[in-house]
Amino acid sequence: MTYTTQMDAAKKGIITKEMEIVAKKENMDVVILRNLIEEGKVIIPANKNHKSLDPEGVGEGLRTKINVNLGISKDCCDVEKELEKVKVALEMKAEAIMDLSSYGKTEEFRKRTVEISPAMIGTVPMYDAVGFYDKELKDITAEEFLKVVEKHAEDGVDFVTIHAGLNRQTAEVFKRNKRLTNIVSRGGSLLYAWMELNNKENPFFEYYDQLLDICEKYDLTLSLGDACRPGSINDATDASQIQELMILGELTLRAWERNVQVMIEGPGHMAINEIPANVLIEKKLCHGAPFYVLGPIVTDVAPGYDHITSAIGGALAASHGVDFLCYVTPAEHLRLPNLEDMKEGIIATRIAAHAGDLGKNIKGAKQWDDAMSKARQQLDWPKMFELAIDPEKAIRYRKESIPAHEDSCTMCGKMCSMRNMNKIMEGKDLNMLREDD
């Protein structure tokens, strides 16, 4: 029996090789996984043209995945430097790479990334359109926007961010409800400008069926973008954000009718107390579709430390049911991240994802922490380094300050609680002041 997409296969009762791989990774019964894909609650972004892909699942009951944003821009257009970041991100176990290239050799970077990456690849075709056609934004036609999407699909990207929920109705709600930071989504702001300059409907909303044709052809997953995501604490959970989310829920059902896989993108900047309600609202309005968030960034006043503000929000969001976290680096709001920024962002986001998995009792999450705790109790330093989320940093810190006694560290020395409790529990004496025999 043939199938067009992972969702189509699931509806026909077919277990694909991608489902088998994901089920094994997640220690989940493959039939349960197939049922969740059929319901739209789990996706496996897997473009038919991405030959190097090692598939991952995103959604209910699965480990929280992380995405790393990369790409060339007009100010930083070195393809080789960005490809080096891709390789490091893959080494650091990112499950997704999102190519946000907006200038220069975008096609070369995209194709080379797809070729080498076992991680799923996402793009925002809207970013590429101006450079692809070498035309002013207002002069690009609806047909041309769709052609860029198809080009990205042909090149093998697994998911695309499409801001289809910013239609004329959403735009009117935005105009009537003043915001502190207006529209901060880059793709959303470009689409809003195009709509205003041409006095036309959002082409991705107006020609959504043609967009679905492309997605069905390549098994391209739709990441329905949040053009109206809040860019400040003040704008969170406002009328524009919720209006767009309602439209995205309707577009989700239309996509599922065509067996197109969908995830929903979310905020953004948001006070910590609003995060649980936002997850609940998305899951309700978008029918349980996987939720993909940037952050959320829980305060606006920490430029240079937004990997921390987002990790705080991301951990809470993941614990309440968010399925996919987009990393944020220390360079957020300031500049294009360099390699070290990227590393810090990845580690912070992986910590947030795992903390969320502990909170929602994902299978296998607690066992990792238990293994680390056991290694600490046994003062087994090699095992601690092996289990660390960032072994390189843990080893470096240990080497920078060598203790007099190998079974301790330079913070506690012979007062180490683990060391002393082990001795007492074994019925041994303590030699706090004497030299060891």
Side-chain angles (χ1 to χ4, degrees), residues 67 69 98 100 122-125 127 159-164 185-188 221-230 241 244-245 248 252 262-268 278 282 286 289-294 322 324 326:
N67 170 69
N69 289 340
M98 200 155 189
L100 304 187
T123 60
V124 187
Y127 294 175
F159 64 96
V160 286
T161 293
I162 302 291
H163 299 93
S185 159
R186 188 178 3 165
T221 296
L222 268 183
S223 186
L224 290 174
D226 51 340
C228 294
R229 71 171 180 264
Q241 180 192 334
E244 182 181 34
L245 195 60
L248 296 184
T252 296
V262 174
M263 61 180 160
I264 308 297
E265 297 185 12
N278 268 262
E282 183 277 340
C286 297
F291 198 14
Y292 170 33
V293 301
L294 178 74
V322 159
F324 198 14
C326 185

Side-chain angles (χ1 to χ4, degrees), residues 77 132 145 147 190 240 287 292 357 375 428:
C77 55
F132 185 82
F145 281 127
K147 281 183 177 179
L190 291 171
S240 299
H287 319 288
Y292 170 33
D357 288 349
K428 295 179 180 178

Side-chain angles (χ1 to χ4, degrees), residues 280-320:
L280 177 64
I281 291 169
E282 183 277 340
K283 292 288 184 177
K284 284 281 189 179
L285 293 180
C286 297
H287 319 288
F291 198 14
Y292 170 33
V293 301
L294 178 74
I297 292 172
V298 295
T299 176
D300 298 334
V301 298
Y305 298 92
D306 277 325
H307 60 310
I308 297 173
T309 63
S310 71
I312 293 168
L316 182 60
S319 73
H320 282 273

Side-chain angles (χ1 to χ4, degrees), residues 10-229:
K11 288 179 180 179
K12 291 175 177 176
I14 299 170
I15 293 174
T16 66
K17 67 179 188 300
E18 290 83 7
M19 293 179 199
E20 290 175 345
I21 292 169
V22 170
K24 186 175 181 180
K25 287 181 178 181
E26 302 286 346
N27 195 22
M28 174 182 279
D29 185 286
V30 72
V31 175
I32 293 174
L33 178 67
R34 186 199 65 197
N35 291 341
L36 289 168
I37 294 170
E38 179 180 357
E39 295 169 5
K41 293 178 180 178
V42 167
I43 58 173
I44 302 178
N47 187 313
K48 296 170 183 177
N49 290 343
H50 189 175
K51 305 304 182 185
S52 61
L53 180 68
D54 183 8
E56 295 281 359
V58 178
E60 185 178 303
L62 310 186
R63 287 180 301 106
T64 307
K65 307 305 187 297
I66 76 159
N67 170 69
V68 172
N69 289 340
L70 297 168
I72 54 175
S73 65
K74 190 166 186 177
D75 291 314
C76 300
C77 55
D78 189 329
V79 170
E80 298 303 327
K81 188 175 287 187
E82 284 303 294
L83 281 170
E84 181 60 29
K85 289 184 192 175
V86 170
K87 293 171 185 175
V88 172
L90 294 172
E91 290 170 3
M92 296 181 72
K93 303 179 181 178
E95 288 93 2
I97 303 288
M98 200 155 189
D99 172 16
L100 304 187
S101 295
S102 59
Y103 177 82
K105 298 179 180 179
T106 57
E107 183 177 354
E108 177 190 345
F109 180 71
R110 180 170 61 252
K111 285 183 173 180
R112 289 176 67 183
T113 300
V114 169
E115 183 180 354
I116 67 172
S117 176
M120 54 185 148
I121 303 298
T123 60
V124 187
M126 187 72 194
Y127 294 175
D128 197 25
V130 174
F132 185 82
Y133 291 112
D134 194 23
K135 296 168 70 171
E136 286 296 336
L137 176 66
K138 67 180 178 62
D139 297 326
I140 300 173
T141 66
E143 182 182 14
E144 287 172 332
F145 281 127
L146 290 170
K147 281 183 177 179
V148 174
V149 176
E150 180 139 30
K151 182 68 178 71
H152 285 217
E154 286 175 0
D155 291 343
V157 306
D158 303 293
F159 64 96
V160 286
T161 293
I162 302 291
H163 299 93
L166 179 59
N167 60 7
R168 297 293 289 268
Q169 183 181 1
T170 305
E172 288 304 313
V173 171
F174 164 72
K175 290 175 185 177
R176 292 196 302 269
N177 295 270
K178 188 170 178 56
R179 286 181 139 193
L180 192 61
T181 49
N182 295 316
I183 294 175
V184 299
S185 159
R186 188 178 3 165
S189 65
L190 291 171
L191 265 175
Y192 181 80
W194 185 91
M195 292 163 64
E196 290 293 296
L197 291 168
N198 291 287
N199 193 28
K200 289 184 178 180
E201 180 59 277
N202 178 343
F204 295 117
F205 180 80
E206 186 173 3
Y207 300 102
Y208 191 64
D209 287 330
Q210 288 90 319
L211 176 65
L212 294 178
D213 289 339
I214 297 168
C215 294
E216 188 176 21
K217 180 179 178 181
Y218 296 93
D219 198 359
L220 178 67
T221 296
L222 268 183
S223 186
L224 290 174
D226 51 340
C228 294
R229 71 171 180 264

Side-chain angles (χ1 to χ4, degrees), residues 388-407:
I389 205 164
D390 183 4
E392 182 183 320
K393 187 171 186 178
I395 291 169
R396 174 165 56 85
Y397 271 40
R398 175 77 173 167
K399 286 181 177 178
E400 285 175 353
S401 187
I402 301 296
H405 303 276
E406 288 188 4
D407 60 353

